[in-house]
Amino acid sequence: MSGHSAGAEIERLIQLLARLPGLGPRSARRAALQMLGKKETLMRPLADAISQAADHVLTCSTCGNMDTKDPCSICTDTRRDAGVICVVEHVADLWALERAGANSGQYHVLGGTLSALDGIGPDDLNIAGLVDRISGGDVREIVLALNATVDGQATAHYITDQVQSYGASISQVAHGVPVGGEMDYLDDGTLAAAMKARRPF
Ligand code: ZN
């Protein structure tokens, strides 16, 4: 299949795929061809799954997780410890901690970190929602599970300032990981150990 004869539909598919993280134009082309070669076993089920997810997945208005219901299945799980809130940057970090079985409490997804460089301030993150949850007084412990980056740590300090007066203890996961390490890329064992070895912040 040469470039100019690929057809508008295929070109559009490749262009959209190339916008996914980790996929450049070259891998996007390979993925598109792979799908087209497996229309019934891969392409249609994938298209259905994408469409279903687009229709049904919501962002939890309490914690920021993604689920098919709001509040999400973690927020509504009464077996979890509602007195502990683990604060993460992204939904991917929440999922990583869940895979590792590292947190039996609740979560709060900030949606990123403060960043002077990128012009991201407190109002761009879900920090007010966190303060709101903690101000109720039922939260005993806040576990900051933010990336060991400059922005992650600046964000941890900012949050600490905001919530200190509510009396919950504040701890930070141990970063037995390279500085600059990202939570989502840690293996389950390292994540679980980091949660266990959290220390007062
Ligand atoms: Zn939730």
Side-chain angles (χ1 to χ4, degrees):
M1 195 180 309
S2 70
H4 74 278
S5 67
E9 292 82 359
I10 300 176
E11 280 308 327
R12 180 166 161 70
L13 175 62
I14 293 170
Q15 273 170 19
L16 287 170
L17 285 170
R19 283 161 61 177
L20 295 173
L23 287 191
R26 194 186 158 90
S27 341
R29 210 172 302 128
R30 286 178 54 196
L33 284 172
Q34 180 83 359
M35 281 193 271
L36 288 162
K38 296 182 178 169
K39 250 190 223 168
E40 299 308 322
T41 56
L42 178 61
M43 195 168 200
R44 284 193 205 282
L46 179 64
D48 280 349
I50 289 173
S51 171
Q52 290 284 324
D55 286 347
H56 299 295
V57 176
L58 315 154
T59 297
C60 175
S61 55
T62 302
C63 75
N65 185 24
M66 283 181 192
D67 201 345
T68 50
K69 54 183 188 173
D70 178 19
C72 73
S73 51
I74 292 179
C75 283
T76 52
D77 185 346
T78 53
R79 292 163 303 180
R80 303 185 75 106
D81 186 350
V84 177
I85 293 183
C86 178
V87 180
V88 297
E89 292 177 20
H90 301 289
V91 173
D93 303 326
L94 185 165
W95 289 356
L97 286 161
E98 280 300 286
R99 282 198 305 272
N103 175 33
S104 58
Q106 294 292 342
Y107 289 96
H108 195 85
V109 181
L110 296 175
T113 52
L114 299 172
S115 169
L117 205 64
D118 299 323
I120 299 171
D123 293 344
D124 300 311
L125 304 173
N126 190 13
I127 292 177
L130 176 65
V131 174
D132 207 47
R133 290 175 77 184
I134 292 162
S135 66
D138 296 331
V139 178
R140 308 187 303 282
E141 183 180 1
I142 300 155
V143 184
L144 300 169
L146 305 176
N147 292 335
T149 56
V150 173
D151 286 342
Q153 295 310 294
T155 307
H157 282 285
Y158 181 83
I159 289 173
T160 302
D161 283 346
Q162 298 299 303
V163 301
Q164 219 151 29
S165 60
Y166 298 108
S169 75
I170 302 169
S171 57
Q172 166 156 260
V173 293
H175 286 290
V177 294
V179 169
E182 297 194 14
M183 305 284 301
D184 186 24
Y185 289 98
L186 300 183
D187 64 272
D188 294 355
T190 309
L191 262 182
M195 281 294 279
K196 252 189 214 128
R198 63 182 182 265
R199 52 189 163 66
F201 185 65

